[in-house]
Amino acid sequence: MLYKNIHIGKYIKEMVESKEISLERICNFLGKDEDFVEDTYKKPSLDTDILLRFSKLLEFDFFRLYTSHLILYSPPSSVGRKTDKKNDSIPQFRKNIYTQEIKDFILGRIESGEMTQADVIKEYSIPKSTLHRWILKKS
């Protein structure tokens, strides 16, 4: 799965089909009609309340797709950046959190020959030492 372009409706439809959940059950769970559900499959983005309901129904964290996108494609944070004292109550995004799913995805691209280590470092802004640590742990 590529995390760069997320069409959430497509992923939801694929999950519904793989779990073989009936349209009637989905409509009852969401409290919506069939047209709403069919339109949802065509949408590239959804309201978070609807996405949360689909995550519960399908027992899959669809928000993780967006988290993975942030980890892989957000610009690297500035080291030693000054923080504004009045924004201390706002949580800061930390880029150095890599899930096992992300690690497997990146290592899979290297193992398949799709990307080199240098490509991964450049494309995803992963530190060279971090990537080498992942490779050593996997072997």
Side-chain angles (χ1 to χ4, degrees), residues 35-84:
D35 291 335
F36 176 85
V37 175
E38 292 297 330
D39 287 342
T40 298
Y41 296 154
K42 298 173 187 169
K43 292 183 179 180
S45 63
L46 296 175
D47 182 61
T48 54
D49 182 56
I50 297 297
L51 189 58
L52 180 61
R53 289 175 183 241
F54 270 109
S55 293
K56 289 177 180 178
L57 175 67
L58 299 171
E59 299 174 344
F60 182 82
D61 183 5
F62 288 103
F63 294 97
R64 186 171 291 185
L65 300 174
Y66 294 103
T67 305
S68 299
H69 174 88
L70 285 173
I71 291 169
L72 290 173
Y73 297 104
S74 66
S77 60
S78 301
V79 177
R81 174 178 48 172
K82 293 182 181 179
T83 57
D84 191 3

Side-chain angles (χ1 to χ4, degrees), residues 90-108:
I90 300 172
Q92 298 297 315
F93 176 69
R94 289 181 25 195
K95 187 171 170 74
N96 61 346
I97 301 172
Y98 299 101
T99 64
Q100 189 60 45
E101 186 177 55
I102 295 294
K103 292 176 188 177
D104 292 341
F105 171 76
I106 290 171
L107 292 174

